Amino acid sequence: MTREALRELLLAVRQGSCTPEAALAQLAGLPAEPLVGDDGQPFATLDHGRALRQGFPEVVYGALKTPEQVAAIVGRLYAHHPNLLVTRASEAAYQAVQALAPEARWDATSRLLFIRRDTTRYGIGRIVVVCAGTTDLPVAREALLTCEVMGNETTLVADVGVAGLHRLLGHLETLRQARVIVCVAGMEAALASVVGGLVAVPVIAVPTSVGYGTALGGFAALLGMLNSCAPNVTVVNIDNGFGAGYVAALINRQPGIQESTG
């Protein structure tokens, strides 16, 4: 969209010949922004229309990107959006980003880099993140922080796996007050079915790559969760705490609420 076309669209809204909803539909197709490195070669193409289409800006996957690339991408997104996420970010990437965005924070456990200037609660209720063991915490915290940056009230219930089921039952009231639950577990991943059988809300199960030989890097947990007999359990990819948190945030979001661009 050209500047003139955008100006005409805004004038149409002001004059009443175009509704705000129709204008938003057009702006959802905003052009992408290419980024070029010091060597003159392109390395990224930013999607500035994603917040309009999906309610949250483009999330950066930090693994295998250089600190300079992460900082360049975040720098451009930072100019347009109050809240940002970079998953699987290194400490070096965090330091590069913080040099241009002092509000940036980095969680060493989950390796999630985030900026949260808008603290508005967009969620209707509470999202509860449950994990089976302490070794599942990196994935659980990735889900938890994703939910928080997207404007949700959250609670973390940690180390309540089925080997000591009484630990989970001690949090039963918290589970039943949730609007959405993210359940993170490795090994045989039985926790997701147990949690699903206790509540009447969506349970997003996250298999982790925690376990000995036949856990097969999380495949045993994945298959166990996919075969859950609890009908309210759905499953994301192995170690994908971000994906679970993102979907949970969308489920919990108030109807019609989009990300603030202020």
Side-chain angles (χ1 to χ4, degrees):
M1 177 175 285
T2 65
R3 291 174 61 90
E4 184 58 28
L6 179 57
R7 181 176 180 276
E8 290 177 1
L9 179 61
L10 295 175
L11 285 173
V13 172
R14 187 173 72 177
Q15 295 166 357
S17 59
C18 177
T19 66
E21 291 74 18
L24 280 174
Q26 293 188 49
L27 292 173
L30 283 173
E33 177 185 2
L35 295 183
V36 178
D38 293 337
D39 58 0
Q41 297 300 312
F43 67 88
T45 305
L46 303 188
D47 178 8
H48 287 302
R50 194 167 303 185
L52 288 172
R53 298 195 314 272
Q54 298 183 335
F56 195 79
E58 181 174 5
V59 175
V60 182
Y61 180 61
L64 302 181
K65 289 184 175 68
T66 67
E68 294 77 17
Q69 289 171 336
V70 172
I73 293 169
V74 171
R76 294 303 303 142
L77 294 172
Y78 179 76
H80 297 279
H81 306 288
N83 293 1
L84 297 172
L85 286 169
V86 181
T87 64
R88 310 302 163 95
S90 65
E91 186 173 7
Y94 163 58
Q95 292 171 350
V97 168
Q98 195 178 46
L100 57 91
E103 304 95 332
R105 297 292 180 267
W106 182 67
D107 181 65
T109 300
S110 63
R111 294 181 293 153
L112 192 72
L113 193 166
F114 59 95
I115 296 172
R116 190 184 185 194
R117 292 176 286 180
D118 177 14
T119 58
T120 304
R121 292 293 186 199
Y122 294 109
I124 295 174
R126 179 182 295 272
I127 298 173
V128 175
V129 178
V130 184
C131 72
T134 303
T135 46
D136 298 310
L137 272 174
V139 178
R141 286 194 57 80
E142 185 178 65
L144 186 84
L145 290 170
T146 296
C147 292
E148 290 180 354
V149 174
M150 293 182 70
N152 296 275
E153 188 175 4
T154 63
T155 296
L156 175 65
V157 177
D159 195 22
V160 290
V162 297
L165 195 56
H166 59 287
R167 299 174 298 176
L168 177 68
L169 298 179
H171 297 278
L172 189 56
E173 184 176 352
T174 298
L175 295 177
R176 288 181 171 166
Q177 290 175 346
R179 191 163 186 265
V180 190
I181 294 173
V182 176
C183 183
V184 182
M187 303 289 188
E188 86 288 19
L191 183 63
S193 292
V194 174
V195 171
L198 293 172
V199 299
V201 298
V203 175
I204 303 171
V206 190
T208 68
S209 51
V210 172
Y212 298 102
T214 56
L216 299 175
F219 276 95
L222 173 64
L223 293 174
M225 288 174 166
L226 285 172
N227 285 281
S228 173
C229 61
N232 53 338
V233 174
T234 190
V235 188
V236 298
N237 204 356
I238 298 169
D239 292 336
N240 188 14
F242 157 70
Y246 194 104
V247 172
L250 293 182
I251 292 172
N252 194 43
R253 183 164 290 192
Q254 299 181 48
I257 291 294
Q258 294 282 312
E259 176 238 17
S260 168
T261 57

